Amino acid sequence: MSDSTATRAANGAVSAVSTRSGVGITLDSVSKIYPGQQAPAVEDFSMSVRPGELVMFVGPSGCGKTTTMKMINRIIEPSSGSIAIDGRDVLSLDPNELRRHIGYVIQQIGLFPHMTIAENIAVVPRLLGWSKQKTADRIDELLTTVQLDPGTFAARYPKQLSGGQQQRVGVARALAADPPVMLMDEPFGATDPITREKLQAEFLRLQESIGKTIIFVTHDFDEAIRLGDRIAVLSDRSQIEQFDTPASILSNPANDYVSSFIGQGAALKRLALIPITDARLKAATGASGVPTVVADASLRDALDALVLAGLPAIDVVDGGRAVGSITIDAISEALGAEVPGMPPAGA
């Protein structure tokens, strides 16, 4: 851990005080067989998640991805295997105390309708014995963090919020006790596409500042690409078909099963992961009155701007100043395609 220290509660539960980063998670040969079922729902699942890493579990409905995630906080008890958080065996800990120190966000959000937004966020801090002032300060901090004005929203009830606002409160509640680990089960799946994209962008901004260790379950491969540091593509019984970075999976899918998740347009999906600064820029055109693209955008953004402008090149700007121009050929080259008339990269 970096700028803070994880502490142990007196009963041995995993606890974190003012932690700014996550901790490691290790699953070793974890299986789950439900009573009366011969085939396991999860079979021999092993994975190591690095501190502060956002790992996406993606797979079809019924493949075991949510069951695997729920075994981490013991909402579902594993039949065999071991699970450790920050080196501590979670099966040796009191499950209720364990869950109080792991953030949990679900698609249905699960806010208590009879409680105000402030009271919903305060549930875990109160269970942990926080003072009223510390809890109130934390509520204001978290509502501000998820871009909800405390003065406007703290006293409202869930039914008075939109779906997107409720989902933000769900994330704030999961962060209330500042847990080092968060589990997220399709948290944005019930929102409309526009709200979902906005929530994803806000979530990435939030994760950049808090650095939690996150397991995020989704069936949406595009969401996995956009959010994940690494993606675990899971098949039946939570078998890992590939566990790698989004860029590596898009460029080198392990098998046909993984390729089926990627679908069409793998090159375009890869462009969204590559910053413009990775391309070889030409001299700025200096043209006025035409579209430009900012230097911290992706090559997908640059391609969209080029197509809409109908121009061979557009300027890349940084702080209002043109630092070069981007072309279709430069984008193709950045993807690894051989472009006639352009020397090899590094030449």
Side-chain angles (χ1 to χ4, degrees):
M1 296 180 64
S2 54
D3 34 283
S4 62
T5 303
T7 62
R8 308 292 181 194
N11 59 10
V14 177
S15 178
V17 178
S18 298
T19 183
R20 299 298 296 173
S21 60
V23 296
I25 303 174
T26 303
L27 298 95
D28 186 14
S29 301
V30 175
S31 296
K32 177 62 182 179
I33 302 176
Y34 288 102
Q37 301 291 322
Q38 292 186 341
V42 175
E43 185 174 21
D44 200 28
F45 184 95
S46 296
M47 174 180 288
S48 292
V49 180
R50 295 186 284 263
E53 190 172 30
L54 200 171
V55 170
M56 308 294 292
F57 286 2
V58 62
S61 297
C63 74
K65 56 187 184 294
T66 296
T67 299
T68 303
M69 184 194 71
K70 287 182 175 180
M71 287 192 285
I72 295 173
N73 65 355
R74 294 177 61 189
I75 289 178
I76 294 176
E77 294 284 354
S79 302
S80 60
S82 65
I83 303 170
I85 297 178
D86 198 21
R88 292 295 299 269
D89 178 11
V90 303
L91 300 180
S92 68
L93 306 177
D94 177 81
N96 291 321
E97 285 298 323
L98 171 70
R99 292 176 200 133
R100 290 173 187 172
H101 300 285
I102 296 177
Y104 188 46
V105 186
I106 59 176
Q107 180 175 329
Q108 295 81 11
I109 308 171
L111 299 180
F112 298 111
H114 61 289
M115 292 183 178
T116 65
I117 298 309
E119 289 169 340
N120 267 280
I121 295 173
V123 168
V124 172
R126 286 175 178 169
L127 289 172
L128 295 175
W130 287 21
S131 69
K132 289 184 178 180
Q133 188 58 55
K134 181 180 179 181
T135 301
D137 291 343
R138 184 62 171 163
I139 291 167
D140 286 353
E141 176 189 0
L142 287 170
L143 285 175
T144 301
T145 298
V146 297
Q147 299 183 336
L148 295 173
D149 176 49
T152 302
F153 292 95
R156 291 186 181 180
Y157 288 87
K159 66 180 180 181
Q160 296 174 302
L161 274 61
S162 68
Q165 290 168 339
Q166 289 184 32
Q167 197 57 262
R168 291 185 182 95
V169 174
V171 172
R173 185 176 63 179
L175 289 169
D178 207 6
V181 172
M182 289 183 67
L183 306 178
M184 308 186 75
D185 189 5
E186 302 202 44
F188 310 138
T191 57
D192 63 86
I194 294 175
T195 301
R196 185 181 310 125
E197 186 171 338
K198 186 174 182 180
L199 287 170
Q200 289 170 349
E202 291 175 356
F203 179 68
L204 283 174
R205 173 190 58 79
L206 181 63
Q207 171 63 357
E208 187 175 343
S209 65
I210 63 176
K212 304 299 183 184
T213 304
I214 299 174
I215 304 294
F216 190 121
V217 168
T218 184
H219 66 275
D220 183 347
F221 192 74
D222 288 337
E223 181 172 63
I225 291 170
R226 184 178 189 190
L227 299 181
D229 295 317
R230 287 193 290 171
I231 301 171
V233 182
L234 306 180
S235 59
D236 190 40
R237 294 172 285 113
S238 226
Q239 298 298 290
I240 300 175
E241 298 293 333
Q242 190 167 2
F243 184 35
D244 212 332
T245 63
S248 294
I249 290 176
L250 287 171
S251 58
N252 296 295
N255 51 40
D256 290 343
Y257 180 87
V258 176
S259 295
S260 71
F261 266 93
I262 296 172
Q264 299 298 315
L268 289 176
K269 293 173 182 177
R270 285 179 58 203
L271 287 178
L273 302 173
I274 304 174
I276 285 178
T277 49
D278 279 11
R280 186 157 38 177
L281 302 183
K282 292 188 176 182
T285 67
S288 59
V290 296
T292 59
V293 64
V294 294
D296 60 356
S298 70
L299 287 181
R300 177 60 188 269
D301 296 324
L303 179 62
D304 288 346
L306 280 164
V307 171
L308 289 172
L311 297 171
I314 59 172
D315 283 346
V316 177
V317 297
D318 186 5
R321 182 178 64 88
V323 295
S325 65
I326 187 80
T327 64
I328 296 290
D329 284 350
I331 293 173
S332 297
E333 183 192 26
L335 277 175
E338 292 186 7
V339 180
M342 290 192 73

